[in-house]
Structure formats: C-alpha cells, structure tokens
Amino acid sequence: MGQTFFKGTILECCQIHPGPQSLQGSCTVPGDKSLTHRALLLASLAQGTSQIDGWLQSGDTCATLAGIQQLGTKVIVEQNSIQIHPQSWHAPHCPLDLHHAGTGVRLLAGIMVGQPFSSVLDGSSQLRKRPMQRIVKPLQAMGARIHATDGHAPLYIEPAHLTGVQYQLPIASAQVKSAILLAALSAQGTTVLTEPEQSRDHTERLLQAMGVPLCIQDRSICITGPACLQPLHFYIPGDFSSAAFLIVAGLILPHSKITITNVNMNLTRTGLWDALIAMGGNCQVLQQHIEGQEPVATLEVQHSDLHGITIPSPWVVRMIDEFPILMVAALHAHGKTIVTGAQELRVKESDRLAVMSQELQKMGAQIQETLDGFEIQGHQKLHGAEVQTHDDHRIAMSLSIAALAAASTTLIQDTACTEDSFPNFFKTLQSLGAAMGK
Ligand code: S3P
C-alpha cells in the first residue's frame, strides 16, 4: 500500500496499494473537533482567561479561531494548548468566513444574534449549500434579527433584544441545540428546548462546568439568561469520530491489532462502537476515566469476523458522522447491514449516502442506497479504482480504509480535506505499519 503526492505542503491525492494488509501498534488521534469549536467559542465569552489543552488544529477549528480573533478575542497558541483572553467584541470589518465548518457557523450564529452590532457569517461554496433555516427559525422565535440567503449562508445578523423561548427541535441536531443554548445566554428569561433524540451533549457539559445552571430532564434542557461564564481549563481528548476510521481498519484488515489512547467515549458519540460490537467486533475498552468534562478511554481492536446487523434507530444520532466508515465495515461483514432514519447524511459536507455509494461502486461494491439509509449485503471483495473525495474529509478517510482492504491499487483524488478534522491521518496510518512512500 501507498504512495502520497504533495503539492506545496498540501496533500493533494493519495495512492494506496493493497497490503501489508495488517495494522499493528499504538497511536493517538487529534483532539475532538466538536469540543474544540465549543471551547474556543465559550472561552471567548468567559469572564477571564481560559486555557484549552489538546485542542484540534484543523481546517474547521482554525476557521472558528480566526472568527473569534476577528471579533477581538486575544489568543496565545503554545503547541498543544491555547490561551484565550476574552475582550469585548467589536463589529467585524468584513464577513466572518467559517470555510467548511458547519459547527462553527451555526454555533457562532447563536452568539452573534445577541451582540450589539451587525455581522455577516459566510463560508465556502460547500458550506453555502448546507441548510441554515433550522437555526434561523428558532433564533427568530427568540427575537433575533437573522436572515439566511434562500435558507443558506451568508447569514445576515442585526442587533436585537432576545427573550427565552420554548422550542421543540424537529430533528435531533447538536448544532441547532447549541445555537439556541448560546443565544439563550444573552436572552432575557427562560428557554426550554426539547429534542426528539439526545444529540451530543458537549455544550451542556461545558456550560455547566463554566457555572451556568442548566436543568436537564429526559430530552428537555432549561436555561435562564442572561448568564455569565466562568473561565475554565479545558481538556480536549481525542476525537472518537477520527478514531472510528482506525477502529474499522483494525477490524477488517487480517492480523491487525491496534491500540488507540486518549479517546473521548462520550455515550452520545459512540454509537459506532456499540454497532461494531454487535457486529461481532473484538473491541475492548482497556482503561476509562473522566478527564475534564468527558469520559476518556484507551481502546483496543483486533481483526474480527464481522456480521451484518440492523442499526437500531436510537443509535443513529449517536453515530451520525460514522455512517461512511460503517459502510466500509458492512462491506466486509457476513450478511446484511441495514440503516434507516439517517436522512441527515444527505446534508453534511456532501450527500454522504449518495457519494459513498457512488465512489464505493467504482471499487466494485454493491450498495442499495435508500432515501434515508442503505442496505449492504456484505462479504464483498473490492478492487482498486480512481475515486473522488468530494472535498469531504470523512469520505476521504472512509475511502482510504476501503482502499487498504482492496485487491488492487486505488487513487484517491483531493485528499487535502482530511486536514479539516484529522491532520496527519495518512502519517498515523503509516505509523501503524501502512507502507506509504513518496
Ligand atoms: C456536530 C453535530 C453534528 C455532526 C457534526 C458536528 C457538533 O451535526 O454531524 O459533524 O459539533 O455539534 P448536526 O448537529 O447537524 O447533527
């Protein structure tokens, strides 16, 4: 396996040859992307200096960092940690550019609607395709003056007096939930949110750690504004969503055995882990403890004979970013894997159902794509092909793992997007024994 081509410092495409067919050893994964966005934004609102250790320095999170700096926040970056010195924010001189970062734009919108100045939030052509009405509607219900462009970015925001709202989320979305919670910090009165299923709860954990009282019962969260945030020493563990690619590689590549240390095992994120265990995966949690606000563990996986399953509907939101790599696992499992209720995959960085089906089909896979999921009859043998990432980091990494197990060489075009969430993805694979050369 492996040849990488560099254009300047950007990894442009990657050629993966079959073999050595096994990964061995121990590695870490970069800091959690969801937590890093939240830590940067919440620390900027705190009444004092915060420190963030283990933050993810990636395309997406650096867009959020640039946004808060443009608003006036002072930061000092020291290798693995960053100090955030909040300042009172001023009107930005130009639109804030969140590049590809859906979490960045939606969460920042929740904060900007409560600021005493106008702003415009924008991003890449890819971000401009993502639905924004889902945040605009509840924020407007709080009194916010926010308008999307045909339901998309750019978002135009004017100062407004916000009041608390009772809002039932039509879809389980941590980005929508978080935008409302962040707006509620500067609103007068109580906001009560209800979710159809529990989405990732990092915002709630961090707000509570920063001294904001929340009342959480079943699927409802109650918060009263205006609220002050105490500074915090944030500790960001490795991202389970990044570990997911290595976990599936360890399970499907014969003779593999790998250990991944310092992985965030927040239960609202680990649906894939449960799914792989249900599929017969040899997946072990070696050590688990609480670090900062989150459970953190060392994980060990070994090559296993997987079998297909039907993913239970409550797991869908807990593994929403992991369906592209689940498809790769399902192709190597005996029997059928069935996913329904995952229509949100169509509005991620790409239409992940369509794109994964299309690209894996080039490698010989047979996938039955449905409106809200897919069915895969497993135990398929893939061959190499030239495939496209559609500028979507999770597509790029999922195809790379599929390529490691394929019978012939695969050329993956436009792999620079892996930098959005997992800088050094290919180097990490190399460190586990994947032979990739220039
Ligand atoms: C995220 C929430 C999820 C997820 C995204 C990160 C977050 O999106 O897909 O990658 O950090 O809140 P939705 O809230 O749209 O489900």
Side-chain angles (χ1 to χ4, degrees):
M1 169 208 112
Q3 197 167 27
T4 53
F5 298 99
F6 293 87
K7 199 181 199 180
T9 55
I10 298 175
L11 192 59
E12 286 292 325
C13 62
C14 177
Q15 199 172 42
I16 297 181
H17 302 299
Q21 305 283 1
S22 95
L23 299 182
Q24 301 283 338
S26 174
C27 66
T28 55
V29 287
D32 189 286
K33 183 156 82 74
S34 291
L35 276 169
T36 300
H37 282 296
R38 285 160 173 79
L40 291 169
L41 292 168
L42 292 175
S44 289
L45 303 177
Q47 298 188 319
T49 300
S50 292
Q51 177 158 332
I52 309 173
D53 289 346
W55 71 297
L56 171 68
Q57 285 191 56
S58 73
D60 271 18
T61 50
C62 287
T64 293
L65 176 62
I68 59 172
Q69 286 180 292
Q70 221 173 312
L71 289 159
T73 299
K74 299 272 178 267
V75 307
I76 300 175
V77 180
E78 296 159 351
Q79 298 229 327
N80 205 24
S81 73
I82 181 164
Q83 271 181 29
I84 307 284
H85 300 275
Q87 312 283 318
S88 87
W89 279 358
H90 53 69
H93 304 299
C94 56
L96 298 173
D97 180 358
L98 280 303
H99 299 275
H100 284 358
T103 306
V105 77
R106 293 193 177 116
L107 270 57
L108 190 55
I111 299 175
M112 297 314 288
V113 291
Q115 299 299 313
F117 50 79
S118 307
S119 57
V120 180
L121 305 188
D122 203 355
S124 63
S125 56
Q126 184 193 78
L127 189 87
R128 281 182 172 202
K129 291 190 193 127
R130 302 190 62 187
M132 290 298 148
Q133 216 50 36
R134 53 181 60 194
I135 57 160
V136 167
K137 199 173 159 212
L139 294 176
Q140 284 178 341
M142 299 176 81
R145 293 171 64 206
I146 174 168
H147 296 280
T149 311
D150 277 338
H152 301 95
L155 300 172
Y156 296 91
I157 298 170
E158 301 289 333
H161 178 75
L162 305 183
T163 50
V165 71
Q166 293 225 353
Y167 191 73
Q168 188 128 18
L169 272 73
I171 42 169
S173 162
Q175 293 179 357
V176 177
K177 172 175 69 175
S178 301
I180 300 168
L181 287 173
L182 293 174
L185 293 174
S186 53
Q188 205 70 45
T190 299
T191 292
V192 185
L193 288 178
T194 312
E195 303 189 85
E197 295 282 348
Q198 184 172 18
S199 62
R200 64 191 70 190
D201 64 354
H202 307 302
T203 306
E204 295 93 299
R205 287 175 187 244
L206 293 182
L207 284 174
Q208 287 176 314
M210 296 175 86
V212 178
L214 299 182
C215 175
I216 303 177
Q217 267 182 339
D218 299 327
R219 304 268 168 279
S220 290
I221 307 165
C222 178
I223 176 171
T224 299
C228 290
L229 274 62
Q230 300 308 314
L232 193 64
H233 192 148
F234 296 85
Y235 172 80
I236 314 276
D239 198 325
F240 180 83
S241 294
S242 295
F245 304 104
L246 306 175
I247 291 169
V248 170
L251 291 174
I252 66 171
L253 295 172
H255 312 298
S256 294
K257 182 176 179 182
I258 60 174
T259 304
I260 314 169
T261 55
N262 192 38
V263 182
N264 184 0
M265 291 297 282
N266 181 315
L267 281 177
T268 63
R269 297 284 299 281
T270 50
L272 179 78
W273 187 254
D274 295 344
L276 292 170
I277 291 171
M279 291 169 80
N282 188 338
C283 303
Q284 309 289 334
V285 174
L286 296 187
Q287 288 168 14
Q288 182 155 324
H289 63 284
I290 299 285
E291 187 101 36
Q293 286 64 52
E294 299 280 341
V296 177
T298 297
L299 307 178
E300 185 185 84
V301 293
Q302 292 187 48
H303 173 253
S304 308
D305 281 329
L306 299 178
H307 56 83
I309 59 164
T310 297
I311 300 292
S313 60
W315 292 4
V316 170
V317 68
R318 296 177 55 230
M319 55 188 292
I320 195 66
D321 290 337
E322 280 63 76
F323 285 105
I325 193 62
L326 177 74
M327 279 186 170
V328 178
L331 286 169
H332 289 86
H334 292 270
K336 204 180 239 190
T337 297
I338 303 175
V339 172
T340 54
Q343 59 276 8
E344 274 295 295
L345 293 176
R346 299 208 179 270
V347 291
K348 297 296 180 189
E349 284 84 333
S350 66
D351 176 343
R352 288 180 172 160
L353 290 174
V355 162
M356 279 303 287
S357 303
Q358 178 187 323
E359 298 304 323
L360 286 170
Q361 273 163 23
K362 293 179 186 168
M363 300 176 74
Q366 291 194 341
I367 294 170
Q368 196 185 331
E369 183 189 337
T370 60
L371 281 179
D372 64 346
F374 56 86
E375 290 190 12
I376 292 178
Q377 183 67 47
H379 209 45
Q380 298 188 26
K381 290 263 175 284
L382 302 192
H383 55 73
E386 182 173 335
V387 291
Q388 308 289 332
T389 64
H390 300 247
D391 209 12
D392 181 337
H393 53 131
R394 300 202 199 282
I395 301 293
M397 293 185 273
S398 300
L399 292 175
S400 302
I401 303 305
L404 282 176
S408 50
T409 302
T410 298
L411 180 67
I412 307 175
Q413 295 286 3
D414 296 327
T415 47
C417 55
T418 54
E419 302 278 321
D420 285 343
S421 63
F422 197 157
N424 295 330
F425 170 69
F426 293 105
K427 280 195 184 141
T428 304
L429 283 178
Q430 276 179 309
S431 76
L432 294 171
M436 305 179 78
K438 288 199 181 152

mmCIF file of all heavy atoms in Angstrom, residues 246-275:
data_model
loop_
_atom_site.group_PDB
_atom_site.id
_atom_site.type_symbol
_atom_site.label_atom_id
_atom_site.label_comp_id
_atom_site.label_asym_id
_atom_site.label_seq_id
_atom_site.Cartn_x
_atom_site.Cartn_y
_atom_site.Cartn_z
ATOM 1 N N LEU A 246 -9.697 4.278 12.191
ATOM 2 C CA LEU A 246 -8.646 3.333 12.583
ATOM 3 C C LEU A 246 -9.278 2.081 13.189
ATOM 4 O O LEU A 246 -8.793 0.958 12.983
ATOM 5 C CB LEU A 246 -7.702 3.999 13.584
ATOM 6 C CG LEU A 246 -7.103 5.337 13.110
ATOM 7 C CD1 LEU A 246 -6.275 5.982 14.215
ATOM 8 C CD2 LEU A 246 -6.255 5.127 11.859
ATOM 9 N N ILE A 247 -10.357 2.276 13.942
ATOM 10 C CA ILE A 247 -11.047 1.133 14.569
ATOM 11 C C ILE A 247 -11.532 0.171 13.479
ATOM 12 O O ILE A 247 -11.296 -1.042 13.540
ATOM 13 C CB ILE A 247 -12.231 1.647 15.430
ATOM 14 C CG1 ILE A 247 -11.720 2.404 16.669
ATOM 15 C CG2 ILE A 247 -13.150 0.494 15.837
ATOM 16 C CD1 ILE A 247 -12.792 3.176 17.434
ATOM 17 N N VAL A 248 -12.188 0.723 12.454
ATOM 18 C CA VAL A 248 -12.706 -0.148 11.387
ATOM 19 C C VAL A 248 -11.548 -0.785 10.613
ATOM 20 O O VAL A 248 -11.588 -1.980 10.290
ATOM 21 C CB VAL A 248 -13.678 0.620 10.468
ATOM 22 C CG1 VAL A 248 -14.027 -0.200 9.224
ATOM 23 C CG2 VAL A 248 -14.943 0.977 11.241
ATOM 24 N N ALA A 249 -10.469 -0.033 10.394
ATOM 25 C CA ALA A 249 -9.302 -0.618 9.714
ATOM 26 C C ALA A 249 -8.777 -1.808 10.517
ATOM 27 O O ALA A 249 -8.488 -2.880 9.962
ATOM 28 C CB ALA A 249 -8.207 0.435 9.546
ATOM 29 N N GLY A 250 -8.666 -1.638 11.831
ATOM 30 C CA GLY A 250 -8.165 -2.723 12.690
ATOM 31 C C GLY A 250 -9.064 -3.951 12.635
ATOM 32 O O GLY A 250 -8.591 -5.084 12.724
ATOM 33 N N LEU A 251 -10.368 -3.735 12.488
ATOM 34 C CA LEU A 251 -11.305 -4.865 12.482
ATOM 35 C C LEU A 251 -11.326 -5.609 11.149
ATOM 36 O O LEU A 251 -11.496 -6.828 11.123
ATOM 37 C CB LEU A 251 -12.728 -4.376 12.808
ATOM 38 C CG LEU A 251 -12.954 -3.898 14.245
ATOM 39 C CD1 LEU A 251 -14.354 -3.303 14.386
ATOM 40 C CD2 LEU A 251 -12.768 -5.029 15.249
ATOM 41 N N ILE A 252 -11.147 -4.865 10.040
ATOM 42 C CA ILE A 252 -11.329 -5.548 8.731
ATOM 43 C C ILE A 252 -10.014 -6.042 8.113
ATOM 44 O O ILE A 252 -10.051 -6.876 7.221
ATOM 45 C CB ILE A 252 -12.093 -4.661 7.706
ATOM 46 C CG1 ILE A 252 -11.286 -3.422 7.297
ATOM 47 C CG2 ILE A 252 -13.477 -4.287 8.230
ATOM 48 C CD1 ILE A 252 -11.912 -2.648 6.131
ATOM 49 N N LEU A 253 -8.866 -5.515 8.559
ATOM 50 C CA LEU A 253 -7.599 -5.935 7.934
ATOM 51 C C LEU A 253 -7.032 -7.134 8.701
ATOM 52 O O LEU A 253 -6.768 -7.042 9.901
ATOM 53 C CB LEU A 253 -6.592 -4.777 7.947
ATOM 54 C CG LEU A 253 -6.999 -3.571 7.085
ATOM 55 C CD1 LEU A 253 -6.050 -2.401 7.310
ATOM 56 C CD2 LEU A 253 -7.032 -3.943 5.602
ATOM 57 N N PRO A 254 -6.855 -8.284 8.025
ATOM 58 C CA PRO A 254 -6.408 -9.509 8.707
ATOM 59 C C PRO A 254 -5.139 -9.294 9.537
ATOM 60 O O PRO A 254 -4.261 -8.522 9.148
ATOM 61 C CB PRO A 254 -6.148 -10.476 7.548
ATOM 62 C CG PRO A 254 -7.028 -9.983 6.453
ATOM 63 C CD PRO A 254 -7.098 -8.488 6.597
ATOM 64 N N HIS A 255 -5.077 -9.957 10.671
ATOM 65 C CA HIS A 255 -3.927 -9.964 11.599
ATOM 66 C C HIS A 255 -3.689 -8.606 12.264
ATOM 67 O O HIS A 255 -2.644 -8.403 12.873
ATOM 68 C CB HIS A 255 -2.628 -10.406 10.884
ATOM 69 C CG HIS A 255 -2.806 -11.650 10.073
ATOM 70 N ND1 HIS A 255 -3.152 -12.851 10.637
ATOM 71 C CD2 HIS A 255 -2.724 -11.859 8.731
ATOM 72 C CE1 HIS A 255 -3.262 -13.758 9.675
ATOM 73 N NE2 HIS A 255 -3.021 -13.179 8.511
ATOM 74 N N SER A 256 -4.599 -7.669 12.146
ATOM 75 C CA SER A 256 -4.380 -6.357 12.775
ATOM 76 C C SER A 256 -4.702 -6.404 14.255
ATOM 77 O O SER A 256 -5.598 -7.126 14.700
ATOM 78 C CB SER A 256 -5.278 -5.299 12.126
ATOM 79 O OG SER A 256 -4.901 -5.107 10.796
ATOM 80 N N LYS A 257 -3.980 -5.571 15.004
ATOM 81 C CA LYS A 257 -4.294 -5.357 16.420
ATOM 82 C C LYS A 257 -3.769 -3.976 16.755
ATOM 83 O O LYS A 257 -2.558 -3.744 16.699
ATOM 84 C CB LYS A 257 -3.628 -6.423 17.289
ATOM 85 C CG LYS A 257 -3.963 -6.263 18.764
ATOM 86 C CD LYS A 257 -3.375 -7.400 19.581
ATOM 87 C CE LYS A 257 -3.682 -7.234 21.045
ATOM 88 N NZ LYS A 257 -3.083 -8.288 21.860
ATOM 89 N N ILE A 258 -4.647 -3.056 17.080
ATOM 90 C CA ILE A 258 -4.171 -1.701 17.369
ATOM 91 C C ILE A 258 -4.796 -1.163 18.659
ATOM 92 O O ILE A 258 -5.894 -1.552 19.058
ATOM 93 C CB ILE A 258 -4.439 -0.717 16.205
ATOM 94 C CG1 ILE A 258 -5.923 -0.590 15.887
ATOM 95 C CG2 ILE A 258 -3.678 -1.126 14.955
ATOM 96 C CD1 ILE A 258 -6.202 0.500 14.841
ATOM 97 N N THR A 259 -4.036 -0.248 19.261
ATOM 98 C CA THR A 259 -4.482 0.412 20.490
ATOM 99 C C THR A 259 -4.531 1.904 20.210
ATOM 100 O O THR A 259 -3.595 2.457 19.617
ATOM 101 C CB THR A 259 -3.463 0.138 21.624
ATOM 102 O OG1 THR A 259 -3.328 -1.272 21.752
ATOM 103 C CG2 THR A 259 -3.903 0.712 22.943
ATOM 104 N N ILE A 260 -5.612 2.537 20.621
ATOM 105 C CA ILE A 260 -5.743 3.988 20.433
ATOM 106 C C ILE A 260 -5.963 4.596 21.815
ATOM 107 O O ILE A 260 -6.914 4.225 22.521
ATOM 108 C CB ILE A 260 -6.921 4.339 19.500
ATOM 109 C CG1 ILE A 260 -6.910 3.440 18.257
ATOM 110 C CG2 ILE A 260 -6.868 5.818 19.095
ATOM 111 C CD1 ILE A 260 -8.173 3.534 17.415
ATOM 112 N N THR A 261 -5.060 5.488 22.202
ATOM 113 C CA THR A 261 -5.147 6.038 23.560
ATOM 114 C C THR A 261 -5.882 7.384 23.551
ATOM 115 O O THR A 261 -5.948 8.064 22.537
ATOM 116 C CB THR A 261 -3.738 6.240 24.164
ATOM 117 O OG1 THR A 261 -2.974 7.063 23.269
ATOM 118 C CG2 THR A 261 -3.010 4.919 24.339
ATOM 119 N N ASN A 262 -6.419 7.727 24.725
ATOM 120 C CA ASN A 262 -6.974 9.061 24.967
ATOM 121 C C ASN A 262 -8.143 9.411 24.031
ATOM 122 O O ASN A 262 -8.170 10.484 23.435
ATOM 123 C CB ASN A 262 -5.838 10.099 24.811
ATOM 124 C CG ASN A 262 -6.239 11.468 25.319
ATOM 125 O OD1 ASN A 262 -6.931 11.577 26.328
ATOM 126 N ND2 ASN A 262 -5.836 12.517 24.612
ATOM 127 N N VAL A 263 -9.112 8.506 23.938
ATOM 128 C CA VAL A 263 -10.259 8.729 23.037
ATOM 129 C C VAL A 263 -11.488 9.132 23.853
ATOM 130 O O VAL A 263 -11.810 8.498 24.868
ATOM 131 C CB VAL A 263 -10.588 7.453 22.229
ATOM 132 C CG1 VAL A 263 -11.739 7.718 21.257
ATOM 133 C CG2 VAL A 263 -9.365 6.963 21.469
ATOM 134 N N ASN A 264 -12.169 10.172 23.393
ATOM 135 C CA ASN A 264 -13.410 10.601 24.041
ATOM 136 C C ASN A 264 -14.480 9.537 23.829
ATOM 137 O O ASN A 264 -14.814 9.210 22.691
ATOM 138 C CB ASN A 264 -13.861 11.934 23.432
ATOM 139 C CG ASN A 264 -15.098 12.503 24.132
ATOM 140 O OD1 ASN A 264 -15.621 11.910 25.076
ATOM 141 N ND2 ASN A 264 -15.538 13.648 23.682
ATOM 142 N N MET A 265 -15.021 9.000 24.923
ATOM 143 C CA MET A 265 -16.040 7.944 24.816
ATOM 144 C C MET A 265 -17.400 8.432 25.337
ATOM 145 O O MET A 265 -18.190 7.640 25.877
ATOM 146 C CB MET A 265 -15.568 6.689 25.567
ATOM 147 C CG MET A 265 -14.404 5.997 24.897
ATOM 148 S SD MET A 265 -14.804 5.362 23.237
ATOM 149 C CE MET A 265 -15.710 3.875 23.636
ATOM 150 N N ASN A 266 -17.685 9.706 25.146
ATOM 151 C CA ASN A 266 -18.998 10.256 25.489
ATOM 152 C C ASN A 266 -20.083 9.388 24.821
ATOM 153 O O ASN A 266 -20.040 9.169 23.611
ATOM 154 C CB ASN A 266 -19.040 11.708 24.969
ATOM 155 C CG ASN A 266 -20.339 12.399 25.282
ATOM 156 O OD1 ASN A 266 -21.402 11.831 25.101
ATOM 157 N ND2 ASN A 266 -20.241 13.627 25.740
ATOM 158 N N LEU A 267 -21.045 8.926 25.634
ATOM 159 C CA LEU A 267 -22.053 7.972 25.116
ATOM 160 C C LEU A 267 -22.910 8.541 23.996
ATOM 161 O O LEU A 267 -23.489 7.796 23.217
ATOM 162 C CB LEU A 267 -22.980 7.538 26.270
ATOM 163 C CG LEU A 267 -22.438 6.487 27.219
ATOM 164 C CD1 LEU A 267 -23.449 6.215 28.336
ATOM 165 C CD2 LEU A 267 -22.123 5.198 26.453
ATOM 166 N N THR A 268 -22.984 9.878 23.920
ATOM 167 C CA THR A 268 -23.778 10.471 22.837
ATOM 168 C C THR A 268 -23.025 10.420 21.507
ATOM 169 O O THR A 268 -23.546 10.849 20.485
ATOM 170 C CB THR A 268 -24.163 11.938 23.135
ATOM 171 O OG1 THR A 268 -22.980 12.743 23.241
ATOM 172 C CG2 THR A 268 -24.972 12.063 24.411
ATOM 173 N N ARG A 269 -21.799 9.884 21.526
ATOM 174 C CA ARG A 269 -20.967 9.858 20.319
ATOM 175 C C ARG A 269 -20.575 8.447 19.866
ATOM 176 O O ARG A 269 -19.982 8.300 18.790
ATOM 177 C CB ARG A 269 -19.664 10.632 20.588
ATOM 178 C CG ARG A 269 -19.837 12.115 20.884
ATOM 179 C CD ARG A 269 -20.122 12.900 19.632
ATOM 180 N NE ARG A 269 -19.033 12.807 18.678
ATOM 181 C CZ ARG A 269 -17.892 13.504 18.756
ATOM 182 N NH1 ARG A 269 -17.707 14.366 19.732
ATOM 183 N NH2 ARG A 269 -16.950 13.371 17.831
ATOM 184 N N THR A 270 -20.815 7.444 20.715
ATOM 185 C CA THR A 270 -20.150 6.146 20.492
ATOM 186 C C THR A 270 -21.081 5.071 19.914
ATOM 187 O O THR A 270 -20.881 3.871 20.159
ATOM 188 C CB THR A 270 -19.512 5.647 21.810
ATOM 189 O OG1 THR A 270 -20.518 5.722 22.834
ATOM 190 C CG2 THR A 270 -18.318 6.480 22.191
ATOM 191 N N GLY A 271 -22.061 5.493 19.135
ATOM 192 C CA GLY A 271 -22.959 4.521 18.504
ATOM 193 C C GLY A 271 -22.210 3.525 17.629
ATOM 194 O O GLY A 271 -22.549 2.339 17.593
ATOM 195 N N LEU A 272 -21.171 3.981 16.931
ATOM 196 C CA LEU A 272 -20.419 3.067 16.059
ATOM 197 C C LEU A 272 -19.743 1.963 16.874
ATOM 198 O O LEU A 272 -19.690 0.801 16.454
ATOM 199 C CB LEU A 272 -19.363 3.812 15.236
ATOM 200 C CG LEU A 272 -18.562 2.871 14.340
ATOM 201 C CD1 LEU A 272 -19.344 2.489 13.090
ATOM 202 C CD2 LEU A 272 -17.213 3.456 13.934
ATOM 203 N N TRP A 273 -19.223 2.326 18.035
ATOM 204 C CA TRP A 273 -18.559 1.327 18.898
ATOM 205 C C TRP A 273 -19.563 0.227 19.250
ATOM 206 O O TRP A 273 -19.272 -0.971 19.113
ATOM 207 C CB TRP A 273 -18.044 2.052 20.150
ATOM 208 C CG TRP A 273 -17.201 1.240 21.078
ATOM 209 C CD1 TRP A 273 -17.587 0.753 22.298
ATOM 210 C CD2 TRP A 273 -15.842 0.834 20.890
ATOM 211 N NE1 TRP A 273 -16.546 0.061 22.882
ATOM 212 C CE2 TRP A 273 -15.458 0.105 22.040
ATOM 213 C CE3 TRP A 273 -14.907 1.014 19.874
ATOM 214 C CZ2 TRP A 273 -14.192 -0.436 22.198
ATOM 215 C CZ3 TRP A 273 -13.633 0.464 20.029
ATOM 216 C CH2 TRP A 273 -13.285 -0.253 21.172
ATOM 217 N N ASP A 274 -20.778 0.636 19.664
ATOM 218 C CA ASP A 274 -21.825 -0.337 20.012
ATOM 219 C C ASP A 274 -22.194 -1.172 18.791
ATOM 220 O O ASP A 274 -22.399 -2.387 18.890
ATOM 221 C CB ASP A 274 -23.071 0.379 20.556
ATOM 222 C CG ASP A 274 -22.775 1.083 21.881
ATOM 223 O OD1 ASP A 274 -21.745 0.768 22.506
ATOM 224 O OD2 ASP A 274 -23.570 1.951 22.271
ATOM 225 N N ALA A 275 -22.282 -0.511 17.623
ATOM 226 C CA ALA A 275 -22.662 -1.232 16.401
ATOM 227 C C ALA A 275 -21.605 -2.273 16.053
ATOM 228 O O ALA A 275 -21.933 -3.424 15.713
ATOM 229 C CB ALA A 275 -22.843 -0.247 15.248
#
